[in-house]
Amino acid sequence: MSAEQPVAVVREGRGPDVVLVHGGASPRTTWAGLESLRGRWRLASMYRRGYAPSPPPVGAGQDFEVDAADLATVLGEDRPHVVAHSYGTLGTLIAAGRRPESVRSLTIIEPPLYFVAADDPQVLRLRELGDAMLTRGLAADEAGLREFLAVAGAPVPEGQPIPAGTVAAVRRAHGGRLPGEARPALEVIREYGVPVLIASGGHTPAVERICDALAKVLDAERVVAPGAGHFVAAAPGFAEQLERFLASA
């Protein structure tokens, strides 16, 4: 399917390739803050299925296995750096685990990779909230849905209705494959020696614990960039930290 209907990739800038894989938000929202890199790097934004101009999802909703297959076709033989955010990190890690030689480096931003900290109560709570949104959509418990949206970078003020744009995002995510099912071959990535940066925004303890645990598993560099919540790319100073990592890799 992915070979017959390839995903769209929009390239901007000049220099070594950096493939950007967004999560539940659009590439424009996810990667705001990285514009300064275009002068020295070619940023290649991959539009996951369901995000125009890419084709619709395969099956009922978003699927990290489909993302992994799509990313494999984007990587080709050029061995680019890859930067991935949120749900987009799952397919990225799966693809890298299958072909670690295909990536020059990995930057993983706030991944919903719950199993690396499975016994942590706050991680369990975050998983429950995320699973409820994916399985029930707007029919999920309203308080829980709003709690999850706040973590996911779309907080709704108390007493206010959920904005139309956020409603559309929940509907698009509804029916997606649950992140808890993802089991990327992390040991392969570590043993191959792929340079990895794990980044978070310092806004939610559960996310920090996932990122800390994943950094240990992958023997990765760890960065916390507060100031923009879940959308870490927009945090003050993050673009400079990312560029230093890319140059070192």
Side-chain angles (χ1 to χ4, degrees), residues 196-223:
V196 182
L197 174 67
I198 307 295
S200 59
H203 59 98
T204 303
V207 173
E208 297 304 310
R209 289 168 186 175
I210 291 170
C211 290
D212 289 344
L214 182 59
K216 289 181 180 179
V217 172
L218 291 176
D219 193 21
E221 185 175 336
R222 180 78 170 89
V223 166

Side-chain angles (χ1 to χ4, degrees), residues 20-135:
L20 306 176
V21 185
H22 68 97
S26 70
R28 183 178 297 275
T29 297
T30 303
W31 306 121
L34 300 186
E35 295 82 1
S36 62
L37 272 61
R38 295 174 188 161
R40 295 167 297 280
W41 307 85
R42 187 168 72 156
L43 304 184
S45 292
M46 176 180 131
Y47 283 67
R48 296 171 53 241
R49 293 179 184 274
Y51 296 80
S54 284
V58 176
Q62 302 292 320
D63 188 330
F64 47 77
E65 286 286 356
V66 175
D67 291 341
D70 288 332
L71 180 58
T73 67
V74 173
L75 295 176
E77 302 299 326
D78 295 334
R79 197 168 171 251
H81 302 276
V82 182
V83 181
H85 181 256
S86 196
Y87 195 93
T89 65
L90 303 177
T92 296
L93 288 167
I94 289 170
R98 289 171 178 164
R99 290 186 58 221
E101 74 281 0
S102 68
V103 297
R104 190 169 301 276
S105 75
L106 292 172
T107 297
I108 303 298
I109 304 174
E110 301 215 344
L113 206 64
Y114 306 122
F115 78 89
V116 298
D119 296 331
D120 186 285
Q122 291 180 306
V123 172
L124 288 171
R125 172 64 176 168
L126 180 59
R127 177 176 180 171
E128 290 171 358
L129 294 172
D131 287 356
M133 187 273 291
L134 289 173
T135 56

Side-chain angles (χ1 to χ4, degrees), residues 144-163:
L145 178 59
R146 288 172 181 253
E147 184 180 347
F148 179 77
L149 291 174
V151 175
V156 181
E158 187 174 354
Q160 297 295 314
I162 299 176

